[in-house]
């Protein structure tokens, strides 16, 4: 028997032809990433010209550099999500500050982050290209992290009561509960939000790779800088080459990463479905290997061992200790006092800076401009919801359709919306259209996909038992939507709509002022106000515009999004 067991073990470790092919793919990927990483630390001095070639033969290299930046940003986005998103979901005192702060930060102009961080990173890494690289990665990080964090927070807030009871009954520690219950439950929606964030970050690649500091232009090698140079030189064929390259890159990382992740996340759903689901090509390849399959099982067991460690107290003991603590209330009050004091100091300093140069009437005018932009954002979110909620439900409930629609939606979400702006300007000028109305869709062009991807994730997570029960009882039409679909996808829709609204506020700065050649169109709104005075360098008016934007976003968060999150948690849990 021992000899038979040893022979089986040796046979499992003996590589086959599929192992060779899989090893070749893995080694190629690691070699490309290692080569791109070494290029990120080459010597560089501010003012030194970095030439971007429009020859399409350079595009594979540029694509490699861009993808590496996006995945580094994604790593830090996930790290931030698991720490800050979990803290917001589990601590109601932290939640009251984290969620409004995220809502504000996702509405702050991305270029505002870049203008501050570029100087800091260049000082941290002098005489190296690593400084601008870190600044570009940070900007991509800010375009990804808020959606992922909000999606993870929403999943933890709607954790089924049965799973909470199971964690208490088995006396799981906080570490075990996080990795054994909370992360697996959030995994299906988390993967869809990661895909959406990766797609949305393509919009900001152009801004992050074409950096201006001290009146010096820094063009980092990448698809974004390639597009920026192509637009500047009006090289239409180069723009077409860049779009084709983006399509190929999206299809590649969809097949290598996201398709296997979606298939893997199926095991974390609450329901057991007999529906046959398509298998990713990479998963089929790995399943036919021997040695890699064995190594994968080893690392899976190692991960299970790490997540089984009893780090921290058990949930029951932690709840009892918290309830018995005499100093909890005092600590909370001190925490609130400290936060409020810091906020008051910041508000007073900002008000003194603004009112030193501006009058009350000018402030009231900016508040009025904020109302115009708010109306645009609300109308656009409503119209996009009417379109993408039915589409997302239809796709999410059909796994075969998901496999077809997913890469198409990823490419459309990845398509840089600023490439469409000149076409809109030409149409408005040619047909003499109303600027106030027809520039508004540009605000939502790149962010509407948040609604679609989150609704797809919500529809795919619906328990099959409920769907079959509704079918057996012949529940159709509006009753089907009102009793099953809308309650089931509501938490996911809130996350998507909230993120789309934040992105629309951010995009208003570039969408309310658009130009092409000699034509420049300006809509009435807060975004146009900020864009105008950013170009002239009027810092008091820039500070006033951003402050008013943050004020409106904060009010909408407290009056709309937070009550909707509470409603999703209390009423619309399907388990």
């Amino acid at each position: 028997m021992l000899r038979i067991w040893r022979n089986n073990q040796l046979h499992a470790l003996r590589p086959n032809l599929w192992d060779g092919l899989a090893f070749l793919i893995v080694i190629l990927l690691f070699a490309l990433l290692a080569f791109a990483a070494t290029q990120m630390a080459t010597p560089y001095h501010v003012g030194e010209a970095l030439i971007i070639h429009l020859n399409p033969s350079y595009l594979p290299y540029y694509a490699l550099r861009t993808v590496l930046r996006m995945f580094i940003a994604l790593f830090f986005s996930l790290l931030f999500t698991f720490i800050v998103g979990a803290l917001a979901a589990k601590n109601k005192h932290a939640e009251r500050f984290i969620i409004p702060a995220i809502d504000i930060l996702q509405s702050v102009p991305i270029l505002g982050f870049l203008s501050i961080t570029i100087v800091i990173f260049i000082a941290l890494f002098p005489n190296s290209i690593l400084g601008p690289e870190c600044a570009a990665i940070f900007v991509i990080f800010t375009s990804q992290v808020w959606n992922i964090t909000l999606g993870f927070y929403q999943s933890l807030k709607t954790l089924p009561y049965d799973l909470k009871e199971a964690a208490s009954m088995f006396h799981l520690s906080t570490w075990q509960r996080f990795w054994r219950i909370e992360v697996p439950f959030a995994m299906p929606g988390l993967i869809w939000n990661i895909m959406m964030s990766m797609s949305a970050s393509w919009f900001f690649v152009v801004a992050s790779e074409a950096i201006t500091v001290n009146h010096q232009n820094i063009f980092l090698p990448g698809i974004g800088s390639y597009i920026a140079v192509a637009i500047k030189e009006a090289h239409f064929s180069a723009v077409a080459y860049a779009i084709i390259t983006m399509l190929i890159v999206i299809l590649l990382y969809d097949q290598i990463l996201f398709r296997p992740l979606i298939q893997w996340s199926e095991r974390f759903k609450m329901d057991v479905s007999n529906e046959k689901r398509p298998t990713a090509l990479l998963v089929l390849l790995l399943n036919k290997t021997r040695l890699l399959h064995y190594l994968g099982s080893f690392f899976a067991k190692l991960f299970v061992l790490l997540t089984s460690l009893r780090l921290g107290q058990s949930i029951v003991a932690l709840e009892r200790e918290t309830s018995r603590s005499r100093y909890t209330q005092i600590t909370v009050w001190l925490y609130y006092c400290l936060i409020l004091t810091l906020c008051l100091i910041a508000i007073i300093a900002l008000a003194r800076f603004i009112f030193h140069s501006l009058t009350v009437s000018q402030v009231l005018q900016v508040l009025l401009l904020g109302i115009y932009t708010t109306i645009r954002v609300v109308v656009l979110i409503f119209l996009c919801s009417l379109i993408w909620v039915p589409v997302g439900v239809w796709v999410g409930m059909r796994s075969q359709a998901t496999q077809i629609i997913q890469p198409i939606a990823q490419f459309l979400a990845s398509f840089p919306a600023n490439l469409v702006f000149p076409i809109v300007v030409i149409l408005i000028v040619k047909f003499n259209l109303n600027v106030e109305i027809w520039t508004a869709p540009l605000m939502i062009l790149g962010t509407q996909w948040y609604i679609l991807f989150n609704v797809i994730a919500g529809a795919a997570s619906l328990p099959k038992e409920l769907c079959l029960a509704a079918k057996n009882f012949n529940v159709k039409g509006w009753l089907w939507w009102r009793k099953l679909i809308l309650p089931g996808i509501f938490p996911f829709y809130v996350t998507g709509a909230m993120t789309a609204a934040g992105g629309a506020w951010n995009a208003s700065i570039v969408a309310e002022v658009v130009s092409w050649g000699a034509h420049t169109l300006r809509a009435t709104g807060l975004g146009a106000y900020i864009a105008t005075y950013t170009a002239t360098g009027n810092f008091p008016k820039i500070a006033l515009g951003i402050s008013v934007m943050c004020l409106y976003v904060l009010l909408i968060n407290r009056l709309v999004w937070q009550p909707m999150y509470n409603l999703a948690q209390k009423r619309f849990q399907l388990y």
Side-chain angles (χ1 to χ4, degrees):
M1 292 295 294
L2 181 60
R3 182 178 296 177
I4 294 174
W5 179 81
R6 286 179 178 175
N7 290 335
N8 290 335
Q9 291 296 106
L10 291 174
H11 180 73
L13 293 174
R14 187 181 302 156
N16 58 14
L17 181 63
W18 299 108
D19 278 301
L21 180 58
F23 267 119
L24 182 63
I25 295 174
V26 171
I27 291 173
L28 179 62
L29 287 175
F30 276 103
L32 290 174
L33 293 176
F35 170 72
T38 57
Q39 298 299 307
M40 293 176 64
T42 55
Y44 173 76
H45 300 278
V46 177
E48 182 181 343
L50 293 173
I51 300 175
I52 302 298
H53 302 276
L54 294 183
N55 190 321
S57 62
Y58 286 87
L59 275 172
Y61 172 68
Y62 292 159
L64 179 64
R65 295 287 296 270
T66 296
V67 170
L68 180 61
R69 294 185 192 107
M70 295 174 72
F71 277 103
I72 292 174
L74 180 61
F75 169 79
F76 287 104
S77 297
L78 288 173
L79 186 63
F80 181 92
T81 295
F82 286 151
I83 297 173
V84 178
L87 179 63
K90 297 180 180 182
N91 190 312
K92 63 179 181 180
H93 306 295
E95 177 187 15
R96 292 173 182 171
F97 293 99
I98 290 176
I99 299 305
I102 289 177
D103 199 13
I104 291 172
L105 288 172
Q106 71 173 344
S107 307
V108 172
I110 294 292
L111 295 180
F113 288 113
L114 182 61
S115 60
I116 297 172
T117 56
I118 180 63
V119 178
I120 298 174
F121 283 116
I122 287 179
L124 287 175
F125 303 100
N127 303 324
S128 174
I129 196 66
L130 191 58
E133 288 280 0
C134 289
I137 291 170
F138 182 79
V139 171
I140 298 172
F141 163 82
T142 58
S143 68
Q144 295 176 349
V145 67
W146 315 127
N147 175 56
I148 301 175
T149 303
L150 287 174
F152 187 66
Y153 160 82
Q154 169 258 314
S155 296
L156 296 191
K157 291 293 286 185
T158 57
L159 189 71
Y161 182 76
D162 294 344
L163 293 182
K164 297 178 183 178
E165 283 292 306
S168 299
M169 289 175 61
F170 287 104
H171 294 272
L172 297 183
S173 67
T174 52
W175 175 262
Q176 291 172 325
R177 172 175 171 169
F178 183 75
W179 291 109
R180 291 297 189 89
I181 292 181
E182 293 170 347
V183 172
F185 175 76
M187 191 57 65
L190 183 64
I191 290 175
W192 278 98
N193 278 299
I194 289 173
M195 288 192 295
M196 180 59 230
S197 294
M198 279 288 290
S199 299
S201 59
W202 281 98
F203 177 81
F204 301 101
V205 162
V206 177
S208 64
E209 293 180 349
I211 304 171
T212 301
V213 55
N214 292 332
H215 304 289
Q216 300 287 337
N217 293 324
I218 302 175
F219 290 96
L220 298 174
I223 294 181
S225 56
Y226 183 93
I227 292 175
V229 173
I231 292 176
K232 184 178 179 181
E233 297 183 7
H235 202 304
F236 291 102
S237 59
V239 173
Y241 290 140
I243 293 173
I244 294 172
T245 304
M246 285 175 53
L247 176 60
I248 295 172
V249 169
I250 291 167
L251 290 175
L252 283 175
Y253 69 61
D254 175 68
Q255 286 293 332
I256 295 173
L257 181 64
F258 289 135
R259 291 290 181 100
L261 282 177
I262 290 176
Q263 182 179 340
W264 174 68
S265 68
E266 294 292 328
R267 67 178 63 187
F268 299 120
K269 290 187 176 181
M270 295 286 290
D271 63 298
V272 179
S273 175
N274 295 323
E275 182 182 358
K276 185 178 179 181
R277 298 180 182 275
T279 304
L281 295 178
L282 184 62
V283 175
L284 289 174
L285 172 61
L286 294 177
N287 285 337
K288 293 181 178 181
T289 62
R290 291 178 186 168
L291 182 58
L292 282 182
H293 189 74
Y294 183 82
L295 291 176
S297 301
F298 170 76
F299 284 113
K301 292 176 182 178
L302 181 62
F303 179 77
V304 170
L305 181 64
L306 290 175
T307 56
S308 300
L309 298 176
R310 295 193 63 83
L311 301 179
Q313 296 173 294
S314 68
I315 302 299
V316 176
L318 187 63
E319 290 175 351
R320 289 175 181 172
E321 182 176 325
T322 303
S323 62
R324 289 199 303 261
S325 177
R326 298 179 180 180
Y327 304 102
T328 301
Q329 199 66 27
I330 298 175
T331 305
V332 170
W333 278 107
L334 290 176
Y335 169 76
Y336 280 132
C337 290
L338 176 62
I339 296 295
L340 290 175
T341 301
L342 293 176
C343 290
L344 286 174
I345 293 173
I347 291 172
I348 292 172
L350 183 62
R352 290 185 62 183
F353 176 73
I354 292 174
F355 286 103
H356 180 73
S357 304
L358 303 176
T359 62
V360 176
S361 60
Q362 289 176 311
V363 174
L364 294 176
Q365 180 187 3
V366 177
L367 289 172
L368 181 61
L369 294 176
I371 294 176
Y372 293 146
T373 303
T374 301
I375 293 173
R376 289 193 182 97
V377 171
V378 171
V379 172
L380 289 172
I381 294 296
F382 176 75
L383 293 177
C384 288
S385 299
L386 291 179
I387 297 171
W388 294 120
V389 167
V391 174
V393 170
W394 186 86
V395 173
M397 298 188 72
R398 293 165 176 82
S399 59
Q400 298 288 341
T402 303
Q403 300 294 319
I404 300 173
I405 299 297
Q406 175 205 330
I408 298 175
Q410 275 187 264
F411 176 71
L412 293 175
S414 305
F415 189 84
N418 44 8
L419 296 180
V420 183
F421 289 7
I423 300 174
V424 175
V425 173
I426 293 172
L427 292 176
I428 291 175
V429 172
K430 182 177 180 179
F431 295 102
N432 196 24
L433 302 175
N434 191 327
V435 177
E436 307 292 342
I437 296 175
W438 294 101
T439 56
L442 299 178
M443 294 169 53
I444 203 72
L445 201 60
T447 61
Q448 60 183 329
W449 310 106
Y450 288 114
I451 298 176
L452 174 62
F453 275 66
N454 277 278
V455 171
I456 290 175
S461 300
L462 287 173
K464 301 304 176 187
E465 292 85 352
L466 286 180
C467 297
L468 290 175
K471 185 177 180 180
N472 290 336
F473 285 105
N474 200 27
V475 178
K476 297 180 180 179
W478 174 240
L479 183 64
W480 181 75
W481 281 92
R482 186 166 58 90
K483 292 296 185 179
L484 175 63
I485 299 301
L486 293 181
I489 67 170
F490 185 75
F492 296 87
Y493 168 76
V494 172
T495 300
M498 180 179 178
T499 313
W505 278 100
N506 200 322
S508 68
I509 297 172
V510 295
E512 291 183 347
V513 180
V514 289
S515 60
W516 176 251
H519 300 285
T520 299
L521 305 178
R522 298 178 185 273
T524 304
L526 189 57
Y529 178 89
I530 296 174
T532 300
Y533 291 106
T534 298
T536 60
N538 192 324
F539 290 103
K541 292 188 176 181
I542 295 172
L544 175 61
I546 294 177
S547 300
V548 171
M549 181 176 288
C550 292
L551 175 64
Y552 276 102
V553 170
L554 185 61
L555 288 175
I556 293 173
N557 176 276
R558 302 306 298 175
L559 298 177
V560 179
W561 301 124
Q562 195 59 49
M564 290 179 74
Y565 263 122
N566 296 335
L567 183 64
Q569 181 185 1
K570 294 177 181 178
R571 287 194 57 188
F572 297 117
Q573 292 197 48
L574 292 179
Y575 302 101

